[in-house]
Amino acid sequence: MKTPVKIAVTGAAGQISYSLLFRIASGELFGNDQPVILQLLEIPQALDNLQGIVMELEDCAYPLLDSISTSDEPNIAFQDVDYAFLIGARPRGPGMQRSDLIGTNAQIFAEQGQALNRVAHRNVKVLVCGNPANSNCMVTIANAPDIDPANFSAMTRLDHNRAVGMLARQCGVSASDVKHITVWGNHSNTQYPDLFHAKVKGQAATRLIDEHWMSDTFVPTIQNRGAEIIKIRGLSSAASAANAAIDHMKTWKNGTPHGDWVSMAVPSDGSYGITKGLVFSYPVTCQNGNYAIVQDLEINKFSLEMLKTSEAELLDEKKQVKNLL
Ligand code: NAX
């Protein structure tokens, strides 16, 4: 048997984790010969509830689940972890502005960055999912100076998967026939799902779809899909978000399929003229546990405006968290 990998999940009693934990414990992410240790973090008020989830995990008798621990202390939950899913965050409450949420949550991620820096494995891979995910990720990186920034990313894979699914439905093909979709920018409604490079069964998507459908239907639908789900379901996306978190980590660890790329929000190196250091969603390929931003894609005027709008929003968020950077 292999040595178990240690995985931290924060917000472990929340709705995304309720899907995610069982899939990790079953071996879906790391493979059917890889034991896992789950190190779960919650706030004190949620620890009782989390105990119930631990009991359910135990009741699955997963052969690969080596052990589970719970804590409200990041220094304990992140001890020696190889992977960290930072999902826990405060939801937006009544009367709260987006800027209030940014301030409160950025503080959480600053503390968690410091704890990762102190106790996590030096090669830990960190996925930030809690919102505002891109800026939280930037704050986490700034507070973990001894860990390579390339080990951190924020999740736009749900947006990416939504875009793949919608284009596939529009063209009447399977999701596996769609390649080279990109979601650029912030995980917010300024994100830009870009079809200009997309291929459907090897053909340029722009030859198969109407340009007005792209700009007037596709782009706003993907940008607002999260809000639409809240309106209809009464709760935010959870199973699809957990699915995207699994996809994100799996691709990062195992690599992108031949001839395709995925969207990941990663620290900008200035590619495509985006301010260095912002955590920006790019098309990336992954190999041997590392990602590389896809270079030299042609960006037309429409796309450039969309990228710049999302960058401006991230620059504004950066101003709001500057005391934590
Ligand atoms: P829930 O409110 O169900 O769960 C959040 C959990 O985090 C709660 O159990 C809470 O007690 C815990 N928590 C709060 N502060 C914490 C802290 N300091 N340390 C540890 N745990 C803490 O939310 P859920 O639906 O699971 O969503 C979690 C986060 O993901 C939210 O911020 C949400 O906005 C974000 N999302 C991000 C997505 C993305 O694509 N990047 C998509 C889905 C989701 O909306």
Side-chain angles (χ1 to χ4, degrees):
M1 249 323 187
K2 293 180 174 171
T3 310
V5 286
K6 295 187 173 176
I7 304 143
V9 178
T10 76
Q15 49 153 6
I16 294 177
S17 297
Y18 194 65
S19 283
L20 179 67
L21 293 172
F22 294 84
R23 294 180 65 174
I24 296 175
S26 73
E28 192 178 331
L29 176 52
F30 294 100
N32 58 12
D33 61 347
Q34 176 59 65
V36 294
I37 294 175
L38 292 176
Q39 301 183 186
L40 310 181
L41 183 71
E42 257 297 348
I43 52 174
Q45 306 87 294
L47 284 176
D48 279 350
N49 184 293
L50 181 57
Q51 198 47 44
I53 298 169
V54 169
M55 289 162 70
E56 282 204 66
L57 282 161
E58 289 169 350
D59 293 348
C60 294
Y62 288 121
L64 293 167
L65 183 54
D66 180 280
S67 59
I68 315 172
S69 62
T70 64
S71 176
D72 57 4
E73 176 42 70
N75 288 321
I76 296 175
F78 295 154
Q79 186 71 51
D80 297 326
V81 289
D82 306 292
Y83 296 87
F85 291 85
L86 306 188
I87 294 172
R90 198 163 153 210
R92 189 148 144 190
M96 264 176 105
Q97 301 301 317
R98 190 175 157 90
S99 55
D100 299 332
L101 187 74
I102 289 176
T104 308
N105 279 332
Q107 187 63 46
I108 294 174
F109 286 82
E111 285 159 20
Q112 294 186 357
Q114 289 158 23
L116 285 163
N117 200 53
R118 272 191 295 272
V119 300
H121 192 283
R122 296 302 83 178
N123 290 329
V124 63
K125 282 190 167 36
V126 181
L127 168 60
V128 177
C129 179
N131 276 321
N134 299 51
S135 293
N136 287 341
C137 184
M138 183 174 59
V139 168
T140 313
I141 293 170
N143 284 275
D146 302 329
I147 302 175
D148 185 346
N151 289 18
F152 297 81
S153 57
M155 192 168 96
T156 49
R157 186 61 176 267
L158 177 55
D159 311 295
H160 178 99
N161 288 348
R162 285 167 172 163
V164 170
M166 186 170 176
L167 180 61
R169 290 192 298 282
Q170 178 71 10
C171 296
V173 299
S174 145
S176 61
D177 295 324
V178 173
K179 308 253 186 288
H180 292 175
I181 289 266
T182 308
V183 172
W184 301 88
N186 199 3
H187 170 68
S188 75
N189 59 9
T190 67
Q191 67 178 260
Y192 171 45
D194 176 1
L195 291 187
F196 283 108
H197 308 283
K199 297 256 162 55
V200 177
K201 288 193 166 176
Q203 273 194 75
T206 46
R207 289 173 157 247
L208 302 170
I209 50 155
D210 178 73
E211 198 157 314
H212 293 292
W213 177 82
M214 183 197 72
S215 58
D216 303 344
T217 303
F218 176 78
V219 171
T221 300
I222 300 302
Q223 287 175 327
N224 295 301
R225 183 75 163 181
E228 189 64 15
I229 286 178
I230 294 176
K231 204 164 97 193
I232 293 169
R233 196 175 92 94
L235 287 168
S236 56
S237 311
S240 57
N243 180 68
I246 298 260
D247 282 352
H248 179 115
M249 257 328 175
K250 211 173 186 173
T251 306
W252 197 358
K253 182 177 136 321
N254 297 345
T256 26
H258 181 69
D260 202 5
W261 64 61
V262 295
S263 305
M264 273 169 75
V266 299
S268 170
D269 59 357
S271 292
Y272 298 95
I274 299 303
T275 308
K276 238 176 150 172
L278 286 182
V279 172
F280 197 85
S281 184
Y282 281 109
V284 302
T285 53
C286 298
Q287 206 181 8
N288 303 324
N290 300 312
Y291 67 78
I293 297 171
V294 177
Q295 297 296 327
D296 300 326
L297 294 175
E298 200 184 310
I299 305 292
N300 62 23
K301 192 163 166 277
F302 176 83
S303 298
L304 187 62
E305 268 174 30
M306 301 296 277
L307 263 68
K308 286 290 166 195
T309 302
S310 208
E311 181 194 32
E313 183 183 43
L314 284 167
L315 285 169
D316 188 53
E317 289 185 14
K318 185 179 176 185
K319 274 193 211 143
Q320 296 176 56
V321 298
K322 67 173 185 302
N323 58 323
L324 298 170
L325 295 176

